[in-house]
């Protein structure tokens, strides 16, 4: 029964509901599980929002990079290069101090130096760049025949994009994009280690795990708990993206479908 | 550093800047770029060795060895790498101290974990309590290198395992038909041929390794991120001859540009190597080169 009390107290501690003080001594396994689980709210928040918003920008940038017009192509290439060529960790630091200095220009930029908005913007731009590269690759491998068939039917412009280019691109890019989604969720653990402050000690899963490891000098309990939660999250992501993959490939014979394959692509 | 730096408050902005950028603290910043390069230079071969061992173990015929290999290659798939970095640094440190404790203080009867403390006898401390400062720094750095090598070894094991499987089956069968035993087949046929298949993955890994170097900061090493934060912060005239407002943004912009340049350079070099290696190979890349010529 005691554990239920802990869960009731600390389940939403990471977003500011619950006791102000974290437990300081005599950590129980239940407290560690609850608080680290509560931190997962942040990971899911960052990952899910960055993924949804990043998707739209990624499609636009991928189209830009594949376009003939240098005024569209060059900026897209530069955007992809900047965000894929530098460490996310440094991007976080830079963005945090950049928003800090904007704050002194106008109070409007105040919220930007909080993790909830500032880090989300960095993750949004970062995942947009990585996904755009994946989508660009898929755009280039759309079968020539499909596009010619579209031309033969008299489609052009928006209808051609909406009915032929976009669905095929998505179908070809989906396994790679699943990979990207998984590692985006992993990358969210960097947020609270890179300048962005955890308000009232409300951080993500790794922030709490690090807190426990620092306090107990025992890394063998909190980090495996983080690992457990993230493996669970990874399985959920694979499941959801697998359903979408089935939907995207529904018109193809079984053996022509592209399988989801997890390739570690890691730190960004 | 320069002769005109004796009284910074009288200087015009260009010479002030020249003096500011050559203070002793800034020299530490420049040296820490050396730390990053040193980390890359040591980690890359060690991680490759770990990866090779892991991939070989994953292919082994002995089941427990295979499980270890498979487990090692699998750990990096579901769990954030930063969690591993934070975990291994403490875990390795405690493992070393625990082993030394067992060897050096056999008569010790108290438990090692007392509540929230990890207590070993004084002789087992690493580095010893009375050791010089540089020994502490070297120990911290080697722990970081070992952590990097373990994590990246797992990634390299993934790549090499795939590359070993990509070597055409017919090559192995031919070797067996010639009467080569398992060890000979492995060293003379499989290993020399797998590199072409491994190179794209390994060069990707190198890029990732470059981008992972700022994580040294999380492992407690005084690296470029540490110095950028230290030097960029607001300086008041009470404590320094070079007062300035918060410049951390510019320091991190500099680091960003450094990393962009470094990745661009690596990209160019790796493309060249790939071009040379695919020359004359029976792959699509080699075929494209043949057609172009």
């Amino acid at each position: 029964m005691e554990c239920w009390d802990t869960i009731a107290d600390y389940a939403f501690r990471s977003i500011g509901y619950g006791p102000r003080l974290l437990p300081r001594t005599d950590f129980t396994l239940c407290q560690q599980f609850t608080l680290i689980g509560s931190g997962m709210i942040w990971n899911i928040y960052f990952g899910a929002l960055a993924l949804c918003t990043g998707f739209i920008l990624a499609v636009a940038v991928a189209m830009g990079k594949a376009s003939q017009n240098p005024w569209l192509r060059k900026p897209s290439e530069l955007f992809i290069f900047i965000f894929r060529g530098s460490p996310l960790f440094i991007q976080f630091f830079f963005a945090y101090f950049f928003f800090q200095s904007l704050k002194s220009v106008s109070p409007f930029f105040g919220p930007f130096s909080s993790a909830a908005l500032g880090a989300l913007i960095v993750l949004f731009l970062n995942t947009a760049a990585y996904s755009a590269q994946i989508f660009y690759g898929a755009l280039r491998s759309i079968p020539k025949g499909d596009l010619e068939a579209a031309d033969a039917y008299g489609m052009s412009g928006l209808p051609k994009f909406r009915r032929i280019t976009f669905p095929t691109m998505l179908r070809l890019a989906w396994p790679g994009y699943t990979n990207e989604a998984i590692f985006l969720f992993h990358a969210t653990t960097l947020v609270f280690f890179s300048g962005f402050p955890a308000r009232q000690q409300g951080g993500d899963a790794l922030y709490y795990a690090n807190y426990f490891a620092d306090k107990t000098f025992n890394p063998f309990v909190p980090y495996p708990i983080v690992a457990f939660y993230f493996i669970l999250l990874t399985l959920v992501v694979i499941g959801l993206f697998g359903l979408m993959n089935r939907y995207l490939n529904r018109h193809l014979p079984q053996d022509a479908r592209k399988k989801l394959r997890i390739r570690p692509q890691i730190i960004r | 550093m320069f002769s005109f730096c004796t009284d910074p408050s009288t200087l015009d902005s260009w010479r002030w800047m020249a003096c500011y950028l050559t203070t002793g603290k800034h020299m530490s910043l420049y040296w820490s770029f050396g730390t990053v390069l040193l980390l890359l230079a040591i980690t890359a071969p060690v991680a490759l060795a770990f990866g090779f061992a892991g991939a070989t173990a994953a292919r082994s015929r002995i089941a427990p060895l295979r499980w270890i290999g498979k487990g090692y290659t699998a750990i990096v798939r579901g769990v954030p790498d930063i969690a591993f970095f934070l975990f291994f640094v403490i875990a390795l440190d405690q493992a070393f101290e625990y082993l030394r404790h067992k060897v050096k203080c056999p008569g010790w009867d108290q438990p090692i974990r007392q509540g929230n403390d990890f207590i070993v006898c004084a002789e087992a401390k690493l580095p010893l309590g009375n050791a010089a400062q540089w020994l502490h720094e070297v120990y911290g750095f080697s722990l970081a290198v070992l952590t990097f090598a373990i994590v990246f070894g797992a990634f390299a094991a993934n790549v090499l395992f795939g590359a070993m499987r990509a070597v055409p089956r017919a090559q192995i069968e031919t070797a067996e038909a010639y009467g080569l035993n398992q060890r000979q087949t492995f060293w003379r046929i499989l290993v020399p041929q797998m590199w072409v298949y491994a190179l794209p993955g390994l060069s990707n890994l190198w890029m990732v390794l470059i981008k992972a170097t700022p994580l040294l900061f999380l492992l407690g090493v005084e690296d470029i991120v540490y110095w950028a934060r230290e030097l960029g912060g607001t300086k008041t005239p009470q404590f320094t001859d070079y007062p300035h407002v918060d410049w951390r943004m510019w320091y991190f912009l500099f680091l960003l540009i450094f990393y962009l340049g470094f990745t661009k350079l690596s990209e160019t070099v790796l493309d060249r190597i790939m071009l040379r290696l695919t020359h004359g190979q029976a792959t699509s890349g080699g075929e494209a080169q043949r057609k172009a010529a």
Side-chain angles (χ1 to χ4, degrees), chain A residues 36 39-40 42-43 188-190 192-193 202-209:
Chain A
I36 293 174
M40 288 300 287
W42 277 111
N43 294 101
T188 57
T189 49
L190 269 178
F192 290 102
F193 289 91
D204 75 331
L206 198 62
Y207 174 87
Y208 284 119

Side-chain angles (χ1 to χ4, degrees), chain B residues 46-192:
Chain B
V46 177
L48 199 60
F50 274 45
F52 190 74
T56 319
R59 288 172 55 89
S60 164
R61 292 195 170 178
I62 309 158
L65 204 58
R66 192 169 61 233
W67 295 333
I68 293 174
K70 293 258 187 196
Y72 181 50
T73 54
I75 56 163
V76 290
R77 296 191 172 198
V79 184
D81 26 44
I82 314 117
F84 278 110
F85 281 113
L86 294 176
F87 169 77
F88 274 122
V89 167
I90 316 183
L92 284 173
D93 186 34
Q94 291 188 353
F96 290 147
E97 290 198 339
Y98 180 75
L99 285 179
R100 281 167 60 94
H101 177 80
K102 282 284 170 210
V103 173
K104 297 210 166 179
C105 313
W108 191 270
D109 53 355
Q110 286 160 333
I112 287 187
R113 289 204 185 279
Q114 298 175 3
N116 286 343
D117 281 326
F118 180 85
I119 297 171
V120 291
C121 61
E123 299 89 77
K125 282 262 175 7
L126 252 186
L128 291 172
N130 55 6
Q133 173 64 24
W134 69 271
L135 262 177
H136 283 268
E137 276 169 21
V138 167
Y139 179 67
F141 183 71
S142 357
L143 269 187
V145 168
L146 198 56
T147 307
F148 264 78
I150 290 175
V151 175
F152 275 87
F155 296 134
N158 259 310
V159 172
L160 292 180
F161 183 72
M164 284 178 184
R165 289 219 305 207
V167 174
R169 179 87 194 108
Q171 295 282 336
I172 312 290
E173 277 166 12
T174 312
E176 279 162 358
Y178 270 95
L180 269 61
N181 64 25
Q182 235 198 325
R183 171 170 299 205
Q184 285 171 324
T185 317
F186 180 74
W187 285 110
R188 296 188 190 176
I189 308 295
L190 190 66
V191 174

Side-chain angles (χ1 to χ4, degrees), chain B:
Chain B
M1 180 161 168
F2 301 112
S3 53
F4 53 80
C5 287
T6 40
D7 190 7
S9 51
T10 61
L11 293 174
D12 57 276
S13 56
W14 275 110
R15 289 204 290 181
W16 186 90
M17 210 56 181
C19 293
Y20 172 73
L21 289 176
T22 50
T23 54
K25 282 278 176 70
H26 275 86
M27 288 301 162
S28 309
L29 169 70
Y30 304 142
W31 275 113
S32 61
F33 281 98
T35 314
V36 170
L37 296 180
L38 186 68
L39 174 89
L40 283 172
I42 301 175
T43 312
V46 177
L48 199 60
F50 274 45
F52 190 74
T56 319
R59 288 172 55 89
S60 164
R61 292 195 170 178
I62 309 158
L65 204 58
R66 192 169 61 233
W67 295 333
I68 293 174
K70 293 258 187 196
Y72 181 50
T73 54
I75 56 163
V76 290
R77 296 191 172 198
V79 184
D81 26 44
I82 314 117
F84 278 110
F85 281 113
L86 294 176
F87 169 77
F88 274 122
V89 167
I90 316 183
L92 284 173
D93 186 34
Q94 291 188 353
F96 290 147
E97 290 198 339
Y98 180 75
L99 285 179
R100 281 167 60 94
H101 177 80
K102 282 284 170 210
V103 173
K104 297 210 166 179
C105 313
W108 191 270
D109 53 355
Q110 286 160 333
I112 287 187
R113 289 204 185 279
Q114 298 175 3
N116 286 343
D117 281 326
F118 180 85
I119 297 171
V120 291
C121 61
E123 299 89 77
K125 282 262 175 7
L126 252 186
L128 291 172
N130 55 6
Q133 173 64 24
W134 69 271
L135 262 177
H136 283 268
E137 276 169 21
V138 167
Y139 179 67
F141 183 71
S142 357
L143 269 187
V145 168
L146 198 56
T147 307
F148 264 78
I150 290 175
V151 175
F152 275 87
F155 296 134
N158 259 310
V159 172
L160 292 180
F161 183 72
M164 284 178 184
R165 289 219 305 207
V167 174
R169 179 87 194 108
Q171 295 282 336
I172 312 290
E173 277 166 12
T174 312
E176 279 162 358
Y178 270 95
L180 269 61
N181 64 25
Q182 235 198 325
R183 171 170 299 205
Q184 285 171 324
T185 317
F186 180 74
W187 285 110
R188 296 188 190 176
I189 308 295
L190 190 66
V191 174
Q193 291 198 32
M194 73 178 189
W195 296 111
V196 180
Y197 301 100
L199 196 78
L202 288 181
S203 48
N204 192 21
L205 209 55
W206 169 255
M207 301 298 225
V208 174
L209 183 59
I210 292 175
K211 285 192 273 173
T213 48
L215 296 180
L216 265 182
F217 169 69
L218 293 182
L219 310 186
V221 177
E222 292 187 358
D223 74 331
I224 42 183
V225 178
Y226 171 86
W227 284 113
R229 267 165 59 111
E230 286 290 303
L231 295 170
T234 312
K235 299 276 184 294
T236 46
Q238 280 130 300
F239 302 111
T240 170
D241 291 333
Y242 300 98
H244 61 74
V245 290
D246 194 341
W247 278 355
R248 281 176 291 191
M249 183 181 125
W250 303 110
Y251 278 85
F252 278 102
L253 186 64
F254 173 64
L255 290 193
L256 208 67
I257 292 169
F258 164 73
Y259 275 107
L260 284 176
F262 202 5
T263 31
K264 190 81 197 164
L265 182 74
S266 308
E267 224 168 38
T268 319
V269 171
L270 287 169
D271 278 353
R272 288 246 173 101
I273 295 177
M274 194 64 201
L275 209 64
R276 176 138 333 154
L277 273 184
T278 47
H279 188 77
Q281 290 280 344
T283 56
S284 62
E287 188 66 12
Q289 274 185 39
R290 190 184 64 79
K291 276 188 184 148

Side-chain angles (χ1 to χ4, degrees), chain A residues 79-137:
Chain A
F79 173 76
I80 292 177
F81 173 66
I82 286 177
F83 281 94
R84 289 183 82 230
S86 61
L88 179 61
F89 198 48
I90 302 283
Q91 289 166 21
F92 273 135
F93 269 117
F94 174 70
Y96 177 65
F97 294 122
F98 177 64
F99 289 138
Q100 284 271 301
S101 59
L102 278 187
K103 202 156 88 173
S104 60
V105 177
S106 148
F108 169 75
F109 291 106
F112 282 83
S113 53
S114 71
L117 186 59
L120 185 63
I121 290 175
V122 178
L123 281 168
F124 154 68
L125 293 173
N126 188 276
T127 186
Y130 276 87
S131 317
Q133 185 66 20
I134 297 172
F135 289 150
Y136 171 71

Side-chain angles (χ1 to χ4, degrees), chain A residues 230-266:
Chain A
F230 266 95
I231 287 173
L232 224 58
L233 182 63
T234 307
L235 290 178
V236 171
V237 172
I238 292 177
L240 288 177
F241 276 71
L243 283 181
M244 186 66 190
N245 195 42
R246 270 226 333 248
Y247 176 77
L248 287 171
N249 285 302
R250 65 197 183 285
H251 59 292
L252 290 176
Q254 282 290 339
D255 53 345
R257 296 181 180 182
K258 277 186 103 172
K259 296 254 163 21
L260 289 188
R261 224 178 115 247
I262 314 303
R263 260 179 281 105
Q265 124 205 350
I266 38 171

Side-chain angles (χ1 to χ4, degrees), chain A residues 140-176:
Chain A
R140 301 252 314 214
S141 48
I142 293 177
K144 200 164 76 175
D146 289 17
L147 297 175
E148 281 169 358
D151 288 339
Y153 272 100
M155 283 191 220
S156 65
L158 199 60
K160 182 180 166 189
F161 175 76
R162 204 164 48 86
R163 294 200 181 164
I164 310 294
T165 317
F166 182 69
T168 316
M169 176 198 84
L170 211 54
R171 178 171 67 81
L172 294 175
W174 204 255

